[in-house]
Amino acid sequence: MTPVATDQAQADATLVVRWCDELAAITAEPGRITRVYLSPEHARANDVVAGWMRDAGMRTWQDAAGNLHGRIDGTTPDAPVLLLGSHLDTVVDAGRYDGTVGVLMAVRTAARLTADGPLPFALEVLAFSDEEGTRFGKALLGSSAVAGVWDDGWWDLEDGAGVPLRRAFTDFGLDPDAVGRAAVDPSTLLGYLEAHIEQGPSLDEAGTALGVVTSIASARRFAVEAVGEARHAGGTPYERRHDALLAAAEAALAVERICRAEQHVGTVGTLTVEPGAVNVVPGLARFSVDLRGEFDAGRDRVWDEIVAAFDAIGSARGVTVTPTEVHRAPAVFCAPVLMDVLRAGIVATGEATPPELFSRAGHDAMSLGLVTDVGMLFLRNPDGISHHPDEFVAAADIALGLDALAVAVGLLAEHVSTTAGGPS
């Protein structure tokens, strides 16, 4: 049976695509999409999406960390809360669907399911403000605040212009000392569901529109300094050189070699050199390492191998290679009951055997997984390209995703109605 979306889902998908196009125009850089935390574009996007939420019957507010919320209450004041959402911030020169499509699908799902009255739980749509970490280098700031795990050490983070996070908060109109008020009460939560484009090619290669996420990658990120000696490029023999750039280049290749062998994912995404002159042996190189794996223990073992390789490279070249950890996130495993309802939702669209996928990309669900059950629905992304202007998801696939999400939430409503409780 070929999956076919309902007429309502097709109409809603057309609207979601139009909204994605409208948000793509809210950017700090004409000609490409860049929308970062605590920027004027962040504020504008929140205002626009809040309007769409209110049109869908939601009460809206911006929390103490700059996240946007839209809520439709349940049948009783003490009803539990099902969270739906994703993020509105982007990387530099981004695509228009990463995060955004999940927020907008959540808005339309909430409107659809409450059109005839409230559900036995409140529906709260979350548009997170800083999943990517583009501005301050620390991912998941918005969802960390919601999960109640804000680290005061983050106030010392600075953006590329030297603006501290604390000052950016006040410039945006937020009170840094009140950030704790963004935290939700875990005892009120039923769970969190997030729809997101797959940031890889698995669904596209399988010819399938939708998939159920089983877990989200365990991740660590490092800033690495290779310190050698800057000397004259012409006058310094090779045996006297302590070339920081060549040490960094070897280190980058070691990351790839070790991760491929160990079936992990490691990326050196940035590299800068000083003094950066054509006729000077580089004395300093700074680079990043992003390491991801399915399990924390395996990730940490692979990192130990990488560090050993860095030490050997540095010793051979007379260069010190020093990594500093800047981000760590544990693996998050999706709740079986939420996987079950999402699977049932996909089956209801006509897909007999929904694929299950491990997400190598990070998501706001990682933060929410610290305080409640989480589930994720992936949508097909042709060629799997993301964090790039060519990122795409078809309206037909969004429509199927909307139907699957509506069925999943409806099944949870039936469960709560019959058990007077949440998933177990």
Side-chain angles (χ1 to χ4, degrees):
M1 175 179 175
T2 301
V4 178
T6 62
D7 290 344
Q8 180 171 357
Q10 291 180 45
D12 283 345
T14 299
L15 183 59
V16 166
V17 170
R18 192 184 81 200
W19 284 349
C20 286
D21 291 341
E22 290 185 33
L23 288 174
I26 302 175
T27 175
E29 300 180 283
R32 62 182 194 167
I33 304 169
T34 302
R35 193 167 54 245
V36 302
Y37 191 36
L38 304 177
S39 65
E41 295 73 36
H42 170 185
R44 177 62 180 151
N46 275 8
D47 286 344
V48 170
V49 176
W52 296 334
M53 288 177 168
R54 289 190 291 270
D55 290 344
M58 297 182 185
R59 172 171 55 90
T60 67
W61 69 96
Q62 180 176 271
D63 70 23
N67 303 298
L68 174 65
H69 298 243
R71 180 178 172 116
I72 299 175
D73 290 330
T75 50
T76 63
D78 62 346
V81 182
L82 178 65
L83 303 174
L84 307 171
S86 194
H87 62 97
L88 293 177
D89 66 304
T90 75
V91 296
V92 174
D93 196 17
R96 64 189 60 203
Y97 300 105
D98 176 4
T100 302
V101 74
V103 173
L104 303 179
M105 287 176 65
V107 171
R108 293 314 307 158
T109 298
R112 173 178 178 177
L113 291 175
T114 58
D116 296 326
L119 298 176
F121 44 76
L123 281 179
E124 190 167 314
V125 175
L126 277 164
F128 290 111
S129 55
D130 187 54
E131 189 258 14
E132 301 288 4
T134 302
R135 182 174 180 185
F136 294 100
K138 173 68 180 77
L140 305 174
L141 286 174
S143 52
S144 293
V146 169
V149 292
W150 187 271
D151 183 343
D152 284 340
W154 297 339
W155 293 122
D156 295 328
L157 296 172
E158 294 184 352
D159 67 10
V163 177
L165 179 58
R166 179 177 288 275
R167 191 201 313 166
F169 255 63
T170 58
D171 290 348
F172 195 76
L174 299 172
D175 178 2
D177 295 329
V179 68
R181 297 176 189 169
V184 295
D185 178 357
S187 69
T188 67
L189 300 181
L190 184 67
Y192 171 73
L193 292 176
E194 180 171 354
H196 203 284
I197 62 166
E198 183 197 0
Q199 293 169 294
S202 298
L203 290 174
D204 189 40
E205 291 175 350
T208 304
L210 306 174
V212 179
V213 176
T214 58
S215 65
I216 304 169
S218 163
R220 294 176 73 178
R221 292 179 183 171
F222 300 86
V224 188
E225 277 196 347
V227 180
E229 183 181 39
R231 296 184 63 157
H232 194 286
T236 307
Y238 280 113
E239 60 270 18
R240 290 179 175 268
R241 293 188 180 206
H242 305 290
D243 191 319
L245 173 56
L246 291 183
E250 277 197 68
L253 290 172
V255 170
E256 180 191 38
R257 172 177 53 79
I258 293 168
C259 288
R260 288 180 72 129
E262 297 290 348
Q263 297 185 324
H264 280 60
V265 180
T267 304
V268 174
T270 65
L271 173 62
T272 60
V273 175
E274 294 182 15
V278 67
N279 59 348
V280 179
V281 175
L284 173 65
R286 294 187 177 96
F287 60 97
S288 62
V289 177
D290 180 299
L291 176 63
R292 305 177 191 228
E294 190 167 3
F295 303 101
D296 297 352
R299 172 205 65 187
D300 293 344
R301 176 180 50 77
V302 169
W303 176 246
D304 289 343
E305 289 186 45
I306 291 171
V307 170
F310 286 0
D311 289 344
I313 291 164
S315 178
R317 290 190 172 274
V319 174
T320 60
V321 183
T322 306
T324 301
E325 187 171 59
V326 296
H327 172 75
R328 181 190 294 237
V332 172
F333 295 87
C334 294
V337 67
L338 297 182
M339 290 175 59
D340 287 346
V341 296
L342 288 170
R343 188 180 300 108
I346 297 173
V347 169
T349 70
E351 181 61 57
T353 54
E356 296 184 354
L357 301 91
F358 153 58
S359 175
R360 290 177 173 83
H363 303 283
D364 289 301
M366 300 175 77
S367 296
L368 273 294
L370 300 173
V371 292
T372 191
D373 287 343
V374 299
M376 286 196 69
L377 175 73
F378 267 175
L379 286 76
R380 173 170 46 194
N381 175 12
D383 194 38
I385 191 168
S386 185
H387 287 184
H388 186 279
D390 289 345
E391 173 185 281
F392 184 71
V393 59
D397 289 354
I398 293 172
L400 292 171
L402 285 163
D403 276 339
L405 199 56
V407 169
V409 176
L411 289 171
L412 287 176
E414 292 178 10
H415 180 82
V416 171
S417 295
T418 56
T419 64
S424 59

